[in-house]
Amino acid sequence: MKELEFRGVSVAFGTPLSPVFEQMSFDVERGEVISLVGPSGCGKTTTLAVLGGFLRPSSGSALMRGVEIRGASHERGLVFQEHCLFPWLTVRGNVAFGPRMQGAGKSEQQVAVKEWLKRVGLEGQEDKYPFELSVGMMQRVGIARVLAAQPDVLLLDEPFAALDTERRYDLQDMLLSLLNDRTRTAVVATHDLEEAVFLSDRVFVFGTSPKGIREVLRVGLPRSRQPELRYESEFTRLKAKLVELVRAEIRSGSATPVGQTVAPT
Ligand SMILES: Nc1ncnc2c1ncn2[C@@H]1O[C@H](COP(=O)(O)OP(=O)(O)OP(=O)(O)O)[C@@H](O)[C@H]1O
Ligand SMILES: [Mg+2]
């Protein structure tokens, strides 16, 4: 059974209705990491919103393990470009929030806080408030907070866009280490094509005219990826290929009529 699935999903906004994409279909296996790339306005965030259960499609259906997604669920955790921490809670309070909402007792919450802060490299920062943290630290807390709620699926919308290259590499490495055991599935929207190749098993390239998935790049690199992979020739080749695919989408606007978006394999 597929972990996530889009079956002929159409989304339209405005009056008169204008389609973001029509009849879009794809599926994602459990443990896969998928990146969504493409020009601004092509529907990446919209796709994540449907998967998250925040937006109902105009037609078609989005499914998780064969069950239609009808609303938000703790099974799917969202990480945004803006960290979305609760400013009135400490780092501890933010990370404990999910477990607390799920009914965990005090000691269970503390175990979760300790474990996740360690895994995102923020031990000892429990008592700080968000305003005392750097942007990179806030994003780490944001990821720890989402993961502490134990979602099976992570939906990330340009999670590292606000960071400089060094911090971004750091957080990409950290995210991959969290995904390496393949127990979680992730869908990441990004404008950073190097990030897309580095994180993903497959990259969905969206177009603008029509919007929707136009190409799929399969990244056949081993799952366990080290930072040095970024300098290897196969990585550079895949990155160049992806740049070409995205540039072609931007240049052409694509000639295929709406309704014929490709089904990724
Ligand atoms: N709530 C909304 N109401 C009206 N139009 C919307 C709404 N949300 C998105 N859109 C439109 O849908 C299209 C897709 O937007 P979306 O935010 O999904 O693009 P994106 O690929 O995430 O872009 P970016 O790379 O800039 O984040 C755009 O044309 C946008 O203007
Ligand atoms: Mg977006």
Side-chain angles (χ1 to χ4, degrees):
M1 188 177 298
K2 306 296 177 193
E3 187 74 347
L4 296 171
E5 209 177 330
F6 255 37
R7 277 191 203 154
V9 170
S10 304
V11 172
F13 290 117
T15 345
L17 279 176
S18 157
V20 179
F21 40 71
E22 291 194 325
Q23 298 280 327
M24 191 159 84
S25 297
F26 62 78
D27 45 56
V28 180
E29 301 286 345
R30 176 155 194 236
E32 253 195 313
V33 181
I34 302 288
S35 281
L36 314 179
V37 304
S40 195
C42 66
K44 303 181 294 294
T45 297
T46 304
T47 301
L48 291 176
V50 173
L51 289 173
F54 300 108
L55 181 66
R56 294 296 299 275
S58 322
S59 63
S61 46
L63 304 102
M64 178 165 173
R65 285 183 216 130
V67 178
E68 188 163 5
I69 296 169
R70 290 175 174 274
S73 156
H74 66 85
E75 291 181 310
R76 298 180 297 276
L78 265 103
V79 178
F80 298 98
Q81 178 177 346
E82 304 298 335
H83 52 81
C84 298
L85 299 179
F86 299 123
W88 61 89
L89 293 178
T90 59
V91 167
R92 176 184 287 107
N94 269 284
V95 178
F97 186 80
R100 186 156 62 89
M101 286 296 114
Q102 290 165 10
K106 275 264 183 271
S107 63
E108 211 181 322
Q109 289 174 33
Q110 287 321 309
V111 170
V113 169
K114 206 168 160 40
E115 181 194 338
W116 285 106
L117 287 182
K118 184 165 175 223
R119 290 184 70 172
V120 300
L122 281 179
E123 290 158 295
Q125 310 290 334
E126 289 83 347
D127 295 322
K128 291 205 167 133
Y129 282 88
F131 74 87
E132 298 178 88
L133 306 174
S134 70
V135 178
M137 289 162 91
M138 286 193 236
Q139 203 59 318
R140 282 172 194 265
V141 178
I143 289 172
R145 188 180 69 165
V146 168
L147 287 172
Q150 300 190 301
D152 295 318
V153 170
L154 273 180
L155 305 170
L156 304 108
D157 197 359
E158 303 191 43
F160 310 136
L163 305 177
D164 60 58
T165 309
E166 259 323 295
R167 296 283 87 72
R168 203 178 316 146
Y169 278 5
D170 257 19
L171 266 74
Q172 288 167 358
D173 294 342
M174 179 205 78
L175 180 63
L176 266 193
S177 74
L178 299 175
L179 295 171
N180 261 346
D181 66 3
R182 296 243 175 222
T183 57
R184 293 180 203 88
T185 308
V187 184
V188 189
T190 180
H191 280 285
D192 180 341
L193 302 184
E194 180 181 284
E195 175 169 286
V197 175
F198 189 67
L199 295 177
S200 313
D201 299 302
R202 285 185 294 156
V203 182
F204 295 175
V205 180
F206 282 61
T208 41
S209 173
K211 298 176 181 109
I213 298 166
R214 311 293 308 150
E215 297 278 353
V216 179
L217 179 76
R218 192 172 278 280
V219 180
L221 299 167
R223 185 69 249 164
S224 173
R225 298 176 189 179
Q226 302 306 314
E228 302 74 41
L229 177 68
R230 296 184 179 92
Y231 312 114
E232 287 176 16
S233 60
E234 178 58 6
F235 183 82
T236 313
R237 189 189 70 78
L238 286 163
K239 194 171 106 181
K241 171 131 178 86
L242 186 57
V243 170
E244 256 326 294
L245 289 172
V246 173
R247 289 186 72 189
E249 278 313 318
I250 293 169
R251 270 199 307 269
S252 73
S254 185
T256 311
V258 172
Q260 293 189 20
T261 49
V262 295
T265 53

